[in-house]
C-alpha cells in the first residue's frame, strides 16, 4: 500500500491560515493598522477602493524594516516580539510585524515598500499567491507602505461569499474606529475611493471619541476613572438618553486591545438598571489596564475574545466603576440619608406616644406583619395587590363591554382566517383590549386573542411592499431638516437612499456625513423624522448579513417594526375593529414579517377545559 499522508505545500497551508485570520477585507485592515502601530508610527493613512476588494493600502511613518526583515516578514511564523514561551503570555503590543503578512500574501497580491529613517534607500517586495515575484532597492519615505490588491483573487469561493460593498465597508469602518479609538496619540487618515472619510489629529481621548461617534455624544459623556491595585479602569459612559437599540457604540479595550465580552457588557448594563428600557443599550468606551500575565489573549485567532484569570473580580470592578461615575455626575439617583429638619416638628414626632395609642397600633395588620419574624416577606402571598390598577382596568372594560358576548357551540366550524373582508357572520361587533397590548375579538365560534403590535406590523409590511411597486404619497417638509450621522450610519444611509425614496422618504446627501430630509411618508407623525430614521438604521444593523437582493425587504421590515403601534397604546372600539379588519385583508394574517404568531383562537371546548368544566 502506498503512503497516503503528505505535507501540505506552503501556499496551501498559508491559505488555510488565512481562513482563520483574514475572513474579510476588514480583517486585513485590522492586521495592517495594528502592525503600523507596533512599528511606532505617529501618522497612519488607510486607503480603500471598492470596499477593500480592489485595494487596501496602509502607509505609516514608523521605524520601517531592513531588506532582510522585509523578506522574512512574509515567511510563516515570522516575528520580532517572541523569543521564548514566556513572551507569549506577556504581550502588550497589538501583534508583531509580519505575523499576518504570510496569510494575506496567500490570498492576495501584495506590494511592500519600506525604509528605515537612517537609510537613504528602501526595499520593494512584490508577492503573488505566497510567491515572492521580485525584491529590489527603491526610493521610499521613512516607514512602511503595504498595498493589498485583489483580495481572494485565487480563492473564488471565498470572494463570492463576501457581502455587498456597503456591508463590507461598514465592517472596515468598525475596525478602523476601534483602532483609532484606542490610539488618540496617533494621527489617522481614512480615504475611501479618493474621498476622505476621516482626518483625525492627535489629541485627547474625549476629542477622539467625539470625532468618531459624532457631536451628538459631546455633551453626554460621563468620565470613568477608577485606579485600583488589581485593575485600572478609565474611559467614558454616556447618559441614558444617548442609548441605542444596538450594541454598536460599546467599546471595551484591555491593555489597549479591543475585545468582545458579553460578561463585561452585562456588568455595565447592570449599572444602568432602572435607567434604560429593555431594548436599549448604553454607550460606553472603557479601557481596562491589567497585568498581561493575568489575562490570556490567545483563546481566539483574532484575539478579540480573551480569558481573565478571575472574571468575577473584573466584573465587580467594572460594575462599581460605572455605577460610581453615574452617581457622581448625578445621572443615577442616589439615596440621601440627611434628615429634613421639618420632620422633627411634625405632630407625630412631637406628641407623646400614649398607652392607648400603643395598644391600637399593636393590633394593626401592618404592625403585626412587620414585627412577627419573617412575616413581612409574605405580605402579598395570599392576595397580591401590586397590580391592582391593571385588575381594575380589566374589570372596568368588562363592565363597559357589550352584553352580547355569548360563547358558540363547540361543534361549529373553526374561524376562517383566509384573506378577505371581516364578515358580520364571523365576528360580532364586540372587541376588548387587555393590558393595552392584546385585543379579544368574539366570534360565533369562540374568541380570538390578537397581538396588536404584531398585527399592525403585518398590515404595514404588506402595505409598504405594495407602495414600493407604485408611487407613494409623501408630505413635503415645511423647513428641510439637516441631520448629521456617524460615519458608519452615514455609509448605511447613503446605500439605501433609492429604496427610502420609493417608500416616501426624500433624503439628499450634503457631504461630511450630513443629510437633508426634504419629504417624509404621509403617515409619519411630524416632529419624529430623525428619531424614525435613527431607529430604522438601528434595526437595519440587526440585518448586517443581509444579501444584496434583500435590501429593500429588510428596509420594509424595519419600517413596519418602527411604525407599528406599540404595546401600551390604548385603542377605542373603532380602532380595534379597523385593525382586525385590515389584518384579515392581509395575505398572511397569522404571522408577523419576522415569523411570530399574531393570533390565537379558543373555542368553547378549549375554554371549558381551561376552566376545568369539561
Amino acid at each position: 500500500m502506498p503512503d497516503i499522508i503528505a505535507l501540505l505545500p506552503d501556499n496551501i497551508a498559508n491559505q488555510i491560515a488565512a481562513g482563520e485570520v483574514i475572513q474579510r477585507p476588514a480583517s486585513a485592515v485590522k492586521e495592517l493598522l495594528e502592525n503600523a502601530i507596533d512599528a511606532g508610527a505617529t501618522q497612519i493613512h488607510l486607503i480603500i477602493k471598492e470596499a477593500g476588494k480592489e485595494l487596501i493600502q496602509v502607509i505609516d511613518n514608523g521605524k520601517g524594516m531592513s531588506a532582510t526583515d522585509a523578506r522574512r516578514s512574509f515567511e510563516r511564523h515570522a516575528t520580532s516580539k517572541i523569543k521564548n514561551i514566556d513572551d507569549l503570555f506577556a504581550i502588550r503590543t497589538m501583534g508583531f510585524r509580519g505575523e499576518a503578512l504570510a496569510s494575506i500574501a496567500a490570498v492576495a497580491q501584495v506590494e511592500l515598500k519600506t525604509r528605515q529613517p537612517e537609510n537613504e534607500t528602501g526595499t520593494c517586495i512584490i508577492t503573488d499567491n505566497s510567491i515572492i515575484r521580485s525584491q529590489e532597492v527603491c526610493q521610499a519615505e521613512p516607514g512602511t507602505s503595504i498595498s493589498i490588491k485583489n483580495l481572494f483573487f485565487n480563492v473564488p469561493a471565498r470572494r463570492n461569499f463576501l457581502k455587498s460593498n456597503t456591508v463590507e465597508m461598514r465592517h472596515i469602518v468598525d475596525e478602523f474606529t476601534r483602532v483609532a479609538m484606542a490610539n488618540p496619540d496617533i494621527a489617522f487618515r481614512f480615504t475611501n475611493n479618493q474621498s476622505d472619510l476621516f482626518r483625525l489629529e492627535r489629541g485627547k481621548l474625549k476629542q477622539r471619541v467625539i470625532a468618531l461617534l459624532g457631536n451628538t455624544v459631546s455633551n453626554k459623556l460621563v468620565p470613568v476613572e477608577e485606579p485600583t491595585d488589581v485593575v485600572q479602569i478609565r474611559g467614558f459612559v454616556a447618559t441614558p438618553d444617548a442609548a441605542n437599540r444596538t450594541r454598536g457604540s460599546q467599546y471595551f479595550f484591555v491593555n489597549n486591545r479591543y475585545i468582545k465580552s458579553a460578561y463585561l457588557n452585562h456588568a455595565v448594563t447592570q449599572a444602568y438598571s432602572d435607567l434604560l428600557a429593555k431594548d436599549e443599550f448604553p454607550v460606553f468606551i472603557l479601557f481596562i489596564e491589567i497585568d498581561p500575565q493575568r489575562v490570556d489573549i490567545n483563546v481566539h485567532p483574532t484575539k478579540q475574545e480573551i480569558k481573565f484569570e478571575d472574571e468575577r473580580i473584573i466584573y465587580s470592578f467594572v460594575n462599581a466603576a460605572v455605577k460610581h461615575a453615574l452617581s457622581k455626575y448625578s445621572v443615577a439617583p442616589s439615596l440621601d440619608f440627611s434628615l429634613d429638619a421639618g420632620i422633627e416638628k411634625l405632630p407625630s414626632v412631637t406628641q407623646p406616644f400614649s398607652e392607648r395609642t400603643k395598644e391600637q397600633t399593636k393590633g394593626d395588620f401592618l404592625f403585626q406583619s412587620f414585627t412577627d419574624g419573617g412575616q413581612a416577606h409574605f405580605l402579598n402571598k395570599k392576595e397580591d395587590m401590586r397590580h391592582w390598577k391593571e385588575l381594575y382596568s380589566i374589570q372596568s372594560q368588562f363592565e363597559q363591554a357589550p352584553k352580547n358576548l355569548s360563547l358558540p357551540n363547540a361543534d361549529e366550524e373553526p374561524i376562517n382566517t383566509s384573506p378577505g373582508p371581516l364578515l358580520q357572520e364571523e365576528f360580532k361587533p364586540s372587541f376588548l383590549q387587555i393590558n393595552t397590548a392584546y385585543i379579544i375579538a368574539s366570534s360565533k365560534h369562540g374568541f380570538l386573542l390578537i397581538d396588536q403590535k404584531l398585527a399592525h406590523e403585518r398590515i404595514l409590511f404588506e402595505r409598504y411592499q405594495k407602495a414600493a411597486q407604485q408611487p407613494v404619497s409623501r408630505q413635503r417638509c415645511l423647513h428641510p431638516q439637516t441631520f448629521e450621522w456617524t460615519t458608519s450610519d452615514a455609509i448605511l444611509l447613503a446605500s439605501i437612499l433609492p429604496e427610502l425614496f420609493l417608500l416616501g422618504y426624500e433624503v439628499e446627501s450634503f457631504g461630511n456625513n450630513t443629510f437633508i430630509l426634504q419629504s417624509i411618508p404621509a403617515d409619519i407623525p411630524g416632529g419624529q423624522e430623525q428619531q424614525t430614521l435613527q431607529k430604522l438604521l438601528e434595526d437595519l444593523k440587526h440585518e448586517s448579513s443581509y444579501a444584496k437582493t434583500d435590501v429593500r425587504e429588510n428596509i420594509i421590515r424595519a419600517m413596519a417594526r418602527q411604525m407599528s403601534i406599540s404595546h401600551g397604546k390604548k385603542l377605542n372600539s373603532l380602532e380595534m375593529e379597523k385593525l382586525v379588519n385590515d389584518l384579515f385583508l392581509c395575505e398572511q394574517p397569522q404571522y408577523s414579517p419576522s415569523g411570530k404568531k399574531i393570533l390565537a383562537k379558543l373555542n368553547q371546548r378549549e375554554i371549558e377545559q381551561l376552566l376545568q368544566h369539561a
Side-chain angles (χ1 to χ4, degrees):
M1 293 288 292
D3 297 332
I4 60 175
I5 296 178
L7 296 178
L8 288 173
D10 285 346
N11 63 324
I12 297 179
N14 286 339
Q15 287 183 13
I16 294 173
E20 298 177 355
V21 180
I22 311 302
Q23 302 171 351
R24 60 192 339 144
S27 305
V29 169
K30 171 182 178 291
E31 297 293 341
L32 296 186
L33 289 177
E34 291 181 347
N35 280 348
I37 293 170
D38 288 342
T42 59
Q43 293 181 347
I44 300 176
H45 186 189
L46 171 63
I47 301 173
I48 298 294
K49 288 185 180 179
E50 293 299 318
K53 299 172 185 176
E54 180 180 328
L55 173 69
I56 301 172
Q57 184 176 7
V58 172
I59 305 171
D60 68 66
N61 65 344
K63 58 187 177 183
M65 291 183 286
S66 66
T68 302
D69 284 346
R71 178 73 176 244
R72 284 179 177 170
S73 67
F74 287 98
E75 300 294 334
R76 294 190 68 196
H77 313 305
T79 173
S80 61
K81 304 295 175 66
I82 296 179
K83 304 300 180 184
N84 53 60
I85 192 63
D86 294 333
D87 294 339
L88 190 62
F89 300 97
I91 295 175
R92 279 195 174 272
T93 56
M94 295 297 100
F96 18 89
R97 173 71 75 177
E99 68 168 342
L101 287 186
S103 297
I104 295 173
V107 292
Q109 299 163 335
V110 180
E111 179 183 83
L112 179 145
K113 290 183 179 181
T114 182
R115 176 165 80 88
Q116 294 174 316
E118 61 272 18
N119 296 335
E120 295 182 356
T121 59
T123 303
C124 177
I125 296 179
I126 297 177
T127 71
D128 183 346
N129 194 18
S130 292
I131 300 173
I132 295 181
R133 301 298 182 183
S134 68
Q135 177 176 348
E136 56 189 18
V137 176
C138 69
Q139 291 294 324
E141 294 292 327
T144 302
S145 171
I146 301 180
S147 300
I148 301 174
K149 303 175 182 178
N150 302 322
L151 189 65
F152 299 128
F153 79 101
N154 56 349
V155 192
R158 291 290 302 275
R159 192 173 178 91
N160 290 336
F161 272 95
L162 294 179
K163 305 300 180 182
S164 67
N165 282 1
T166 301
V167 174
E168 296 300 339
M169 194 61 198
R170 281 188 50 240
H171 283 287
I172 292 174
V173 170
D174 288 344
E175 291 292 354
F176 175 86
T177 300
R178 294 162 185 167
V179 174
M181 188 91 72
N183 298 276
D185 56 334
I186 298 177
F188 287 89
R189 182 182 175 189
F190 184 174
T191 302
N192 175 46
N193 293 335
Q194 300 181 345
S195 176
D196 283 349
L197 288 182
F198 290 100
R199 291 186 74 102
L200 306 173
E201 301 297 330
R202 302 173 65 179
K204 296 183 178 180
L205 177 60
K206 186 173 183 179
Q207 295 172 324
R208 181 60 56 87
V209 171
I210 295 173
L212 291 169
L213 300 187
N215 292 325
T216 54
V217 300
S218 60
N219 297 323
K220 300 177 181 179
L221 295 177
V222 178
V224 177
E225 191 71 37
E226 291 292 340
T228 68
D229 294 336
V230 178
V231 63
Q232 288 78 45
I233 302 173
R234 62 182 178 87
F236 296 95
V237 293
T239 53
D241 58 325
N244 296 324
R245 295 195 64 216
T246 62
R247 300 184 185 275
S249 296
Q250 297 184 341
Y251 300 90
F252 266 119
F253 299 90
V254 173
N255 294 342
N256 235 38
R257 181 193 299 274
Y258 174 79
I259 67 158
K260 295 179 180 178
S261 173
Y263 191 63
L264 294 185
N265 273 19
H266 186 268
V268 177
T269 304
Q270 281 295 100
Y272 278 86
S273 59
D274 299 329
L275 296 176
L276 297 177
K278 290 183 179 179
D279 59 346
E280 291 183 331
F281 300 98
V283 175
F284 60 82
I285 306 96
L286 294 176
F287 292 79
I288 300 174
E289 293 292 330
I290 190 172
D291 185 349
Q293 296 189 357
R294 303 187 67 173
V295 58
D296 184 3
I297 64 172
N298 296 299
V299 299
H300 192 271
T302 63
K303 297 181 173 61
Q304 287 189 0
E305 298 177 14
I306 66 175
K307 179 74 174 177
F308 291 100
E309 187 178 65
D310 192 333
E311 289 187 331
R312 291 175 297 177
I313 292 179
I314 307 300
Y315 181 100
S316 300
F317 276 121
V318 169
N319 182 265
V322 175
K323 280 185 176 179
H324 184 213
L326 293 176
S327 61
K328 182 178 179 181
Y329 288 88
S330 301
V331 176
S334 57
L335 295 176
D336 185 2
F337 291 99
S338 59
L339 180 64
D340 186 352
I343 295 178
E344 297 180 350
K345 300 178 181 180
L346 293 175
S348 56
V349 177
T350 57
Q351 292 179 359
F353 193 41
S354 64
E355 289 295 327
R356 180 181 176 184
T357 308
K358 186 184 297 184
E359 291 299 323
Q360 290 176 344
T361 304
K362 285 183 177 179
D364 185 78
F365 166 73
L366 284 178
F367 179 86
Q368 293 177 354
S369 300
F370 278 96
T371 52
D372 293 347
Q375 290 302 307
H377 297 284
F378 301 97
L379 277 174
N380 297 319
K381 185 172 182 180
K382 293 183 178 179
E383 187 173 1
D384 191 347
M385 298 302 293
R386 287 174 293 180
H387 306 295
W388 65 273
K389 289 185 178 180
E390 296 179 13
L391 295 174
Y392 180 79
S393 173
I394 294 174
Q395 181 183 358
S396 302
Q397 292 183 71
F398 271 107
E399 290 175 353
Q400 298 171 9
K403 301 300 183 181
N404 57 352
L405 293 177
S406 57
L407 288 175
N409 244 340
D411 298 328
E412 294 184 8
E413 291 296 321
I415 184 169
N416 175 25
T417 58
S418 58
L422 189 59
L423 303 178
Q424 286 293 332
E425 57 265 23
E426 286 289 350
F427 282 86
K428 297 179 181 179
S430 56
F431 300 93
L432 185 66
Q433 188 182 29
I434 301 296
N435 293 342
T436 60
Y438 305 97
I439 297 173
I440 289 182
S442 65
S443 76
K444 66 178 183 179
H445 302 296
F447 289 111
L448 274 185
L449 181 63
I450 301 171
D451 187 308
Q452 65 186 44
K453 177 173 175 56
L454 296 181
H456 198 210
E457 191 176 319
R458 164 54 65 179
I459 295 166
L460 292 179
F461 177 76
E462 296 195 8
R463 184 181 302 168
Y464 292 150
Q465 276 188 320
K466 295 175 183 177
Q469 308 299 328
Q470 58 190 9
V472 63
S473 59
R474 54 171 55 89
Q475 53 183 338
R476 193 83 176 174
C477 296
L478 184 61
H479 300 288
Q481 302 181 50
T482 303
F483 303 129
E484 182 181 353
W485 307 88
T486 64
T487 301
S488 180
D489 285 349
I491 291 172
L492 179 58
L493 181 59
S495 69
I496 63 173
L497 291 184
E499 284 77 16
L500 287 178
F501 183 80
L502 292 176
L503 297 171
Y505 285 98
E506 186 178 353
V507 186
E508 299 175 357
S509 177
F510 198 59
N512 295 328
N513 299 337
T514 303
F515 292 82
I516 299 177
L517 182 63
Q518 302 282 9
S519 302
I520 61 174
D523 55 352
I524 297 291
Q528 300 182 13
E529 297 85 358
Q530 183 177 16
Q531 181 183 7
T532 303
L533 275 177
Q534 181 66 50
K535 289 182 177 179
L536 174 62
L537 292 182
E538 293 291 339
D539 267 6
L540 282 177
K541 290 176 185 177
H542 287 292
E543 312 286 351
S544 59
S545 60
Y546 60 78
K548 301 173 186 178
T549 55
D550 293 333
V551 175
R552 184 175 301 176
E553 182 176 340
N554 280 296
I555 294 174
I556 292 173
R557 186 183 294 115
M559 283 189 62
R561 275 198 298 265
Q562 292 306 321
M563 300 311 301
S564 59
I565 57 176
S566 60
H567 289 162
K569 180 175 176 58
K570 190 172 183 179
L571 304 176
N572 59 38
S573 297
L574 292 178
E575 291 171 331
M576 287 188 281
E577 183 175 358
K578 185 178 188 310
L579 184 70
V580 176
N581 273 304
D582 289 347
L583 174 64
F584 283 92
L585 286 172
C586 293
E587 294 181 4
Q588 176 51 272
Q590 299 192 55
Y591 295 94
S592 72
S594 56
K596 295 179 180 178
K597 197 171 181 180
I598 296 176
L599 53 87
K601 51 183 184 281
L602 289 173
N603 57 34
Q604 184 174 352
R605 182 183 294 110
E606 291 170 331
I607 295 173
E608 289 177 345
Q609 288 176 349
L610 287 174
L611 298 175
Q612 299 179 349
H613 291 166

